[in-house]
Amino acid sequence: MPIAVSPMRPRTGITRFTNCRLVKGDALVEEDLWISSQSGKIISSQAAFFDELALPDESIDLGGRIISPGLIDVQLNGAFGFSFSTLLEDTAQYGKEFLEVRKRLVATGVTSFLPTLTSQTPELYQKVLPYLGPSRGVRRSEDGSESLGAHVEGPFLNPAKNGIHSKDVLREAHTFEDIEACYGKANLDAGQSDGPITMVTVAPERGQMSKLIPELRKRGIICSIGHSEATYEEALVAIDGGATMITHLFNAMRPLHHRNPGIFGVLGAAENLQRPYFGVIADGIHLHPTTVNIAFSTFPEGFILVTDAMHMMGLPDGAYQWTNGGATSNIVKVGPTLLLEGTDTIAGSSISLLECVNNFLKWSGSTIPAALNTVTATPAAMLGCQETKGSLHAGADADLVVFSEQVRDGVTQLVIDQVWKFGNRVHCRGLSNQREMGA
């Protein structure tokens, strides 16, 4: 039950969680957690109590539940009916639609994400990118999930590995001016610190992209290898030039061969090479469960679960319109499977990030902390924001998910009970659950 606040004592904005297990590193640690809605941060209980003489406004007994950092999805194309790769006549309406997705997305446990644009026309990129930039100083919990900046997946991709990306808009870059002409000079000049683009997915073997990766890195933009026919040697050059990520490993790339391991091979390269992080779609459709386990075993420190979810996430089965490089086509949703209409081409996913985590738990037999690290600490490290995201250390943003455990078919699965953003509760599962947890 919550501790009553004396009417004579001023409110501090502090909430204390007790009787809980915190995800810290590879362990679940029985420890209290203090957060502040005023600063939006996780705070040191000792500093607050002994140095500032501050007491919590409420103390919540979680009955042994798990507290995790908020989940981070670094590849999300849309959700709840809105595709981020949409060019609306009223660009202000785009911002409203994007905000609505953020407000609904946070209930899935995703407190931060990279809104992802597929291969599109320069006009679309230049008009919508300003809406997708990092939230930065704007810290409103009521806005829901926070954008950490756009992930632009294309159009500098290999037509031989285009997937559902329209070949009509794919292009090569021979100079940095070619990249500026596509994304817009203003969207690139500022870099990650001020600009809207946080990450781009490119095929390094196309044009002069392997030589342009360092130019993107100078602007603070993360480079990921994807939709690529790159050989092992070409991938090594890209990594040496500053690429630090692989987009949806195994999908839309040269397959592993015993005489040329391709992009996958860089994960087993010599230790003098900085091995990249890599995204994995654990929906049971893009990859066989054993393939997921192989990837994790090869380099667990770089393993990041992603959804690659399209705007059909959260919608019923049916055919849905999609803007594909300026043309209009349909994606057919049948259960969890998305296919480009009239083909057998997989068109992203409609899975939630927590479903990916639970699939990974079921397939791998991994520990809960290890599974949650793939969607918290590891993506935060890849993005370079580990001081504020992906951890429960004092000073980090108070973005939290409270989980219960349920055993299904002999396997432990996680269920979201509460989500907190910047120290404020933004989602709670059911009224009975609120009473039980003293909310």
Side-chain angles (χ1 to χ4, degrees):
M1 296 295 292
I3 296 175
V5 179
S6 167
M8 301 298 293
R9 180 168 67 82
R11 296 185 66 85
T12 61
I14 296 173
T15 299
R16 170 195 177 214
F17 298 100
T18 189
N19 191 14
C20 53
R21 292 171 292 157
L22 310 184
V23 177
K24 288 196 169 183
D26 294 326
L28 291 175
V29 180
E30 294 184 6
E31 187 179 296
D32 288 359
L33 185 72
W34 289 37
I35 63 174
S36 168
S37 62
Q38 293 182 0
S39 67
K41 298 284 187 178
I42 296 169
I43 61 175
S44 165
S45 58
Q46 291 190 348
F49 184 76
F50 292 107
D51 297 345
E52 302 175 19
L53 303 179
L55 293 173
D57 290 337
E58 63 174 338
S59 183
I60 301 178
D61 186 332
L62 289 179
R65 289 175 175 84
I66 294 169
I67 299 182
S68 164
L71 312 187
I72 304 170
D73 192 350
V74 301
Q75 189 170 7
L76 180 71
N77 306 288
F80 310 113
F82 183 65
S83 169
F84 304 142
S85 298
T86 299
L87 187 60
L88 301 177
E89 290 186 13
D90 181 1
T91 53
Q93 184 62 30
Y94 184 99
K96 294 176 183 177
E97 297 280 356
F98 182 56
L99 179 58
E100 184 60 29
V101 170
R102 291 171 54 194
K103 289 180 176 180
R104 297 181 65 180
L105 182 65
V106 77
T108 71
V110 174
T111 56
S112 303
F113 70 111
L114 299 189
T116 302
L117 299 175
T118 54
S119 295
Q120 302 293 336
T121 63
E123 179 189 15
L124 186 142
Y125 289 134
Q126 293 171 31
K127 286 189 176 180
V128 308
L129 275 170
Y131 291 96
L132 304 180
S135 303
R136 294 191 185 85
V138 180
R139 296 170 60 86
R140 291 191 294 262
S141 57
E142 62 270 24
D143 287 348
S145 189
E146 175 187 2
S147 171
L148 299 180
H151 171 186
V152 189
E153 187 187 2
F156 301 102
L157 308 179
N158 195 314
K161 295 295 180 184
N162 64 306
I164 62 167
H165 293 241
S166 173
K167 293 182 180 181
D168 293 339
V169 295
L170 299 187
R171 55 179 62 200
E172 292 184 357
H174 295 275
T175 67
F176 198 77
E177 286 73 20
D178 293 334
I179 299 177
E180 290 178 328
C182 181
Y183 298 147
K185 193 173 186 295
N187 292 324
L188 290 162
D189 280 350
Q192 190 176 0
S193 59
D194 296 303
I197 301 175
T198 291
M199 184 163 75
V200 296
T201 293
V202 299
E205 75 279 11
R206 297 284 291 170
Q208 296 297 313
M209 185 55 72
S210 62
K211 295 180 180 179
L212 297 174
I213 286 174
E215 293 297 319
L216 287 163
R217 294 296 297 128
K218 286 178 185 177
R219 290 160 173 79
I221 295 173
I222 297 165
C223 294
S224 184
I225 302 171
H227 288 273
S228 169
E229 278 274 20
T231 63
Y232 172 71
E233 291 76 16
E234 289 169 331
L236 283 178
V237 170
I239 300 300
D240 189 57
T244 55
M245 177 71 177
I246 300 172
T247 295
H248 45 55
L249 185 69
F250 294 117
N251 295 118
M253 63 184 58
R254 179 190 292 263
L256 172 68
H257 188 277
H258 58 282
R259 282 193 292 273
N260 191 325
I263 294 170
F264 178 76
V266 300
L267 300 181
E271 292 185 4
N272 60 349
L273 178 81
Q274 182 66 47
R275 288 187 287 179
Y277 298 91
F278 55 95
V280 168
I281 308 170
D283 61 353
I285 299 165
H286 281 79
L287 299 174
H288 190 280
T290 298
T291 306
V292 173
N293 290 336
I294 289 171
F296 182 74
S297 299
T298 301
F299 184 37
E301 295 83 359
F303 184 100
I304 298 174
L305 288 173
V306 301
T307 62
D308 196 20
M310 302 292 281
H311 56 291
M312 284 67 73
M313 174 186 160
L315 299 182
D317 289 357
Y320 294 92
Q321 196 174 86
W322 178 55
T323 301
N324 190 9
T328 299
S329 55
N330 285 337
I331 294 175
V332 179
K333 179 180 184 296
V334 180
T337 303
L338 300 182
L339 296 176
L340 196 61
E341 190 173 49
T343 75
D344 58 358
T345 302
I346 299 174
S349 84
S350 59
I351 197 170
S352 72
L353 197 54
L354 180 57
E355 288 175 305
C356 290
V357 171
N358 279 330
N359 282 341
F360 180 64
L361 282 170
K362 179 170 58 178
W363 300 338
S364 68
S366 174
T367 66
I368 288 173
L372 288 172
N373 282 338
T374 70
V375 291
T376 56
T378 308
M382 185 274 289
L383 294 169
C385 60
Q386 60 268 42
E387 297 301 316
T388 55
K389 303 294 184 188
S391 84
L392 298 179
H393 298 301
D397 287 339
D399 300 348
L400 317 171
V401 184
V402 178
F403 289 110
S404 289
E405 298 162 89
Q406 292 184 0
V407 177
R408 301 171 185 165
D409 299 324
V411 178
T412 298
Q413 301 277 267
L414 297 173
V415 177
I416 294 173
D417 284 335
Q418 293 189 9
V419 183
W420 293 67
K421 182 67 183 173
F422 296 138
N424 293 283
R425 183 165 42 214
V426 292
H427 173 72
C428 193
R429 181 172 64 96
L431 180 61
S432 61
N433 181 255
Q434 292 183 42
R435 293 196 183 106
E436 178 185 350
M437 300 178 73

